[in-house]
Amino acid sequence: MTSDSAVLAEDLTKYYGRHRGIEALDLEVHRGEVMGFLGPNGSGKTTVIRVLLDYLRPTRGRASVLGLDPRRDRAALYRQIGYLPGELTLPGRERAGDLLRFFADARGGVPWSQVTALAERLDLDLTHPVRAMSRGNKQKVGLVQAFMHHPELLVLDEPTSGLDPLMQQEFLAMVRE
């Protein structure tokens, strides 16, 4: 791995019993790069992300993220990553602002001004209960929590799902920044 690698995978393989998830993946993503996986449903894109983040254990191969071993250095790694899963599930009782305040506190005290700036940018009303939000607005909550702490690495699985075209453009501008 080179010192500027954000993600490195060598011979990364994951089987679910006899069914292949991913096989012999070699991948290197450098710091500062924007990389996207493209492929049909079921091709292993989400499996790769889950293995890289140690939500799944590989059948064989190895991975390094930000120079850390995802299994051994999981807690340190998670502090440096902004993650948005493809199937976002948010608890529904509280308002969006309360949920984001919880995430901000859990990340060591993200300034509330950073959270509100992102919410304004995405046109997200923080006073609405999460359970009453549309899919697109829930996705905005997920984007705010992923970006709020200025992570070293963003790992986003289907990040524009549910967003209208104007919000998709704003999201792309955020990624470019």
Side-chain angles (χ1 to χ4, degrees):
M1 178 173 91
T2 61
S3 62
D4 70 334
S5 293
V7 174
L8 179 71
E10 296 172 330
D11 193 35
L12 205 58
T13 300
K14 174 63 182 174
Y15 275 87
Y16 299 98
R18 296 176 53 172
H19 300 282
R20 176 184 51 84
I22 54 173
E23 188 167 25
L25 174 71
D26 292 321
L27 171 70
E28 185 171 15
V29 180
H30 298 277
R31 293 173 190 262
E33 283 185 326
V34 174
M35 192 279 294
F37 272 141
L38 298 176
N41 293 341
S43 64
K45 300 177 300 290
T46 298
T47 297
V48 170
I49 290 171
R50 290 178 178 165
V51 169
L52 290 173
L53 298 180
D54 194 47
Y55 293 128
L56 294 173
R57 300 284 161 82
T59 304
R60 74 169 184 265
R62 72 174 204 94
S64 175
V65 180
L66 298 174
L68 301 172
D69 179 293
R71 184 174 188 185
R72 187 184 64 235
D73 305 314
R74 187 176 186 177
L77 184 61
Y78 285 4
R79 286 190 293 271
Q80 299 177 59
I81 291 176
Y83 175 54
L84 177 63
E87 296 175 15
L88 180 63
T89 304
L90 297 171
R93 283 271 177 241
E94 54 260 303
R95 294 176 300 156
D98 296 332
L99 182 59
L100 288 169
R101 195 174 297 278
F102 168 80
F103 285 129
D105 291 344
R107 291 204 168 104
V110 175
W112 189 243
S113 60
Q114 287 176 206
V115 175
T116 58
L118 285 166
E120 286 174 24
R121 188 166 181 183
L122 293 170
D123 195 26
L124 174 63
D125 185 344
L126 297 177
T127 65
H128 276 70
V130 174
R131 74 177 179 278
M133 289 183 157
S134 68
R135 180 177 177 187
N137 281 323
K138 287 178 183 176
Q139 192 73 354
K140 291 176 187 180
V141 172
L143 287 170
V144 170
Q145 70 78 32
F147 278 83
M148 71 167 53
H149 61 298
H150 300 291
E152 182 76 21
L153 177 67
L154 285 166
V155 179
L156 309 171
D157 192 353
E158 300 189 31
T160 61
S161 179
L163 297 181
D164 66 50
L166 290 175
M167 284 301 113
Q168 289 179 19
Q169 288 179 352
E170 190 60 37
F171 162 75
L172 292 173
M174 291 167 61
V175 170
R176 281 191 295 274
E177 291 169 15

